[in-house]
Each structure stands twice: as structure tokens, then as C-alpha cells.
Amino acid sequence: MSDNSPVRVLVTGAGGPAGVAVLRSLARRPDVTLLAADMDRYASGLYLVDEGARFLVEPGLADTFVDSLVDLCERERVDVLFSTVDVELPRIAAERKRLDAVGTALAAPSLETLEVCLDKFALARRCADVLPTPRTELLGTTDPGSWDYPVIVKPRRGAGSRGVHQVDDADALRALGADEDILVQAMLPGDEYSVDTLADADGHVVAAVPRSRLRVDSGVSVAGCTVADRELEQTARQVAEAIGLVGVANVQLRRDAEGRAALLEVNPRFPGAMPLTVAAGVDMPSLALDLALGRPLPDSVPFAEVAVVRYLEDVFLDPADVLAEPSGEAGR
Ligand SMILES: Nc1ncnc2c1ncn2[C@@H]1O[C@H](COP(=O)(O)OP(=O)(O)O)[C@@H](O)[C@H]1O
Ligand SMILES: [Mg+2]
């Protein structure tokens, strides 16, 4: 990449809200050429970029996914890769050196950070001595008689609230058996917040923007508001330091019985609600791009309190412009 040629940025997961959010943010930068990828030819974000910059990729769990993505990055001379798909991220981060070798910087936290976040048990242990963290144990080894009820039971490596439920007494907990992949966690009864958090190359937190989710429809936040609250910001900073964050993560907090902000979990990626954080004054996709390019970030970026309501938007296309189904002979 020469100094004034545009930076070529590929965003995967172009059909999801996080992918669209990253694309729309980076589209405002005159120094960026955007490329978009998804496994689905109807992924809306594909059609936010120029024809010729739209790519169909294999499912993130396919055996050859990383190989073909590295090939795509090399072929398209991608300078920076943003992955917004949960299942892809650790697989890609594990091959960061191969991307580096073809000249592509991965805009994502380190593999070590991703791994500690994706295991909610490891995360709770990492944070327990640093910030308010609910008691968290494995169903297989915990003593049901030792808890205050109700408790929360959830998968050790879950997402999208799947498998999360409340258990009201020790007998009901015993009845669940002894699965090592299930967590028992003290219930946090208070309000819940998501804090979009960005740390620079030294792990210094540049911005931590708390949002409340005012309405959620099928797991997607459809109304929300940024909240200026020092304690939430400070707690997210402590989490970022504990997990060695470099880049962007979404720290989820909930108030405990004493009203303190406590750790729920960390999603080590861009959230679908990122447009609110951008509108509040912290353009995290753009800052994360600068970080990936090795450019210095400001010491801190302030934000305003802003509310948002959301709706679906229609993008009309010539049917001929919809990407074709990948052909069978390509071996996919
Ligand atoms: N310890 C807890 N106390 C109260 N509510 C919880 C607790 N753990 C999870 N929940 C509820 O379940 C939702 C999903 O849990 P979370 O830990 O964020 O997992 P994931 O989003 O990965 O499925 C949370 O947003 C919260 O509303
Ligand atoms: Mg969650």
C-alpha cells in the first residue's frame, strides 16, 4: 500500500447488523475502498459496496474457510480485514500470521483475548479479583446447597441468550445433572448495560460507551440510549485491562443486589448496535481501522447521551445485480 492509495478494507458478515454497521461507518472515510463478504448472496451489506467488491465466502465453520479467506485477501490486496461473525473470529485470529504474510492486518483482539471471552467460566475467573463479578461455578462440580436462590444457569460457551434460565432451588439445580459445559451463576437482579469499549495497541482504553437497551426484538436492540455513568465506564475499563483488550469489545454489565455494576459477559467483537455509539461521537470502526493500520489513536474520545429507535431499510436492486449462486465446480 503506497501512502496515498486508498486503504482496501474487507468486512465479513456483511448480512448481519454488525457487518452493516462497520460498512456504513467506514463508507464515510474518503481514504477507504470497501469490500464486503458473506456466505449468503442476499446479505444486504454486500450491496452497500461497489459491484466487483462483493464476495461470497464459505460458512465460517467450513474446513477450508480460513484458507479461502486468506486467498481472497491476497487476491484482492486487502490491507485490513474486519470479521463480524462470532464463529469465524477465533479461527481467523488463530491464523493472523498467515494474513500478515499476505499483507492483511486483522482488526480484532488477540486470540488469547477472544478465547477468554468465549469461555464465560474463564472470563469470570479472570475478572473475579479485579471487579464485581458474580459467583460462577461449573454445574458438574458445584455444591447446590451452597447457593442463594434463584441462580442463573447457562452454557459455558453460549450466545444469543440460548440455554439461559433461572433455577429456583437446590433440588431443581441437582436435577440438572453434572454437565461440565454448563455454568451456575449468581443472579444479578439490576439493570443491564452494554459498554462498547475500544483499547489502543498498549491496552489503554480510549473510549467506553455504556448503552442501555430500551427495547429488544428477537435479541436485537431496536431502541437504546447511551448513558454517561462513570462507574459503568470504569468497570468496562477494568474488564478491558483484565482481558488484555486491544481493539473493540462489547462488555455486558448488570447491577448486583447492592447496585454495583458487575460483569455479565464480554462479546469480543463489534455489536449490531454500534451505530448508536458512532452517533454518540465515538466512531469505533474508524478508530479500529486506524489501530489496525498502526496509526496513533487519541488518548480519549468523549461521547454524548443519544437515544435511538431503529427500523429496517429497503435496498432496491436490479435482479441481475444479485450475486449468482456459487457454482458447484468451484468445489464449495
Ligand atoms: N447472572 C445473571 N443474572 C441475571 N441475568 C443474567 C445472568 N446471566 C445471564 N443473564 C441474562 O441472560 C442474558 C444472556 O446471558 P449472557 O451471559 O449475556 O450470554 P449470551 O448473550 O452469550 O447468551 C443476559 O443478557 C441477561 O439478561
Ligand atoms: Mg450476552
Side-chain angles (χ1 to χ4, degrees):
M1 170 185 44
S2 76
D3 270 351
N4 32 18
S5 62
V7 180
R8 295 174 64 80
V9 179
L10 174 64
V11 180
T12 71
V20 170
V22 171
L23 285 164
R24 290 177 68 194
S25 160
L26 297 180
R28 289 193 288 270
R29 283 187 53 154
D31 59 335
V32 168
T33 298
L34 273 180
L35 300 84
D38 200 283
M39 60 183 275
D40 178 6
R41 64 199 183 108
Y42 295 113
S44 54
L46 291 171
Y47 303 96
L48 295 175
V49 304
D50 291 342
E51 205 185 330
R54 306 166 185 164
F55 301 94
L56 289 181
V57 290
E58 295 176 61
L61 290 175
D63 285 345
T64 51
F65 169 77
V66 177
D67 296 336
S68 53
L69 187 66
V70 172
D71 286 348
L72 176 64
C73 288
E74 182 170 26
R75 203 164 60 238
E76 293 298 325
R77 304 179 321 280
V78 172
D79 297 306
V80 179
L81 172 64
F82 284 74
S83 163
T84 67
V85 182
D86 270 337
V87 297
E88 291 176 8
L89 255 176
R91 298 192 65 196
I92 301 174
E95 305 283 350
R96 196 185 286 261
K97 287 207 176 79
R98 277 174 67 196
L99 285 166
D100 285 341
V102 300
T104 304
L106 177 63
S110 71
L111 182 61
E112 203 275 323
T113 298
L114 298 179
E115 281 176 342
V116 77
C117 294
L118 295 174
D119 177 351
K120 293 182 171 79
F121 184 58
L123 178 68
R125 286 171 56 142
R126 177 74 67 92
C127 294
D129 296 332
V130 187
L131 63 132
T133 304
R135 180 181 165 196
T136 304
E137 289 179 18
L138 297 173
L139 180 62
T141 52
T142 196
D143 170 12
S146 66
W147 290 85
D148 288 332
Y149 288 84
V151 294
I152 293 288
V153 169
K154 60 184 175 184
R156 183 169 173 172
R157 300 165 183 279
S161 293
R162 280 181 293 277
V164 180
H165 55 109
Q166 182 180 317
V167 171
D168 292 327
D169 55 56
D171 285 341
L173 192 63
R174 271 182 211 106
L176 292 178
D179 194 331
E180 284 283 334
D181 292 325
I182 303 283
L183 296 181
V184 183
Q185 189 166 71
M187 165 91 116
L188 299 169
D191 289 338
E192 187 165 328
Y193 301 90
S194 278
V195 190
D196 294 336
T197 306
L198 168 71
D200 69 14
D202 299 324
H204 163 77
V205 174
V206 169
V209 182
R211 314 181 254 109
S212 62
R213 311 209 299 171
L214 302 173
R215 285 277 182 287
V216 176
D217 185 356
S218 315
V220 177
S221 166
V222 292
C225 189
T226 51
V227 185
D229 179 312
R230 286 263 159 228
E231 184 202 0
L232 295 172
E233 289 173 48
Q234 190 52 31
T235 307
R237 264 171 215 280
Q238 290 169 330
V239 175
E241 282 158 20
I243 63 174
L245 181 68
V246 172
V248 172
N250 169 250
V251 177
Q252 299 190 345
L253 306 176
R254 213 171 211 269
R255 294 203 187 275
D256 65 12
E258 286 86 55
R260 296 176 308 171
L263 178 67
L264 202 51
E265 66 148 342
V266 180
N267 294 309
R269 54 169 172 77
F270 287 89
M274 179 51 63
L276 174 56
T277 294
V278 175
V282 188
D283 193 338
M284 288 194 184
S286 182
L287 291 159
L289 175 58
D290 288 336
L291 175 65
L293 291 169
R295 297 179 186 163
L297 299 189
D299 187 55
S300 81
V301 182
F303 69 92
E305 289 195 316
V306 177
V308 64
V309 292
R310 312 176 86 192
Y311 55 86
L312 286 170
E313 192 171 317
D314 305 296
V315 178
F316 301 105
L317 305 166
D318 184 332
D321 286 342
V322 176
L323 289 183
E325 204 92 64
S327 69
E329 60 178 40
R332 300 190 174 172

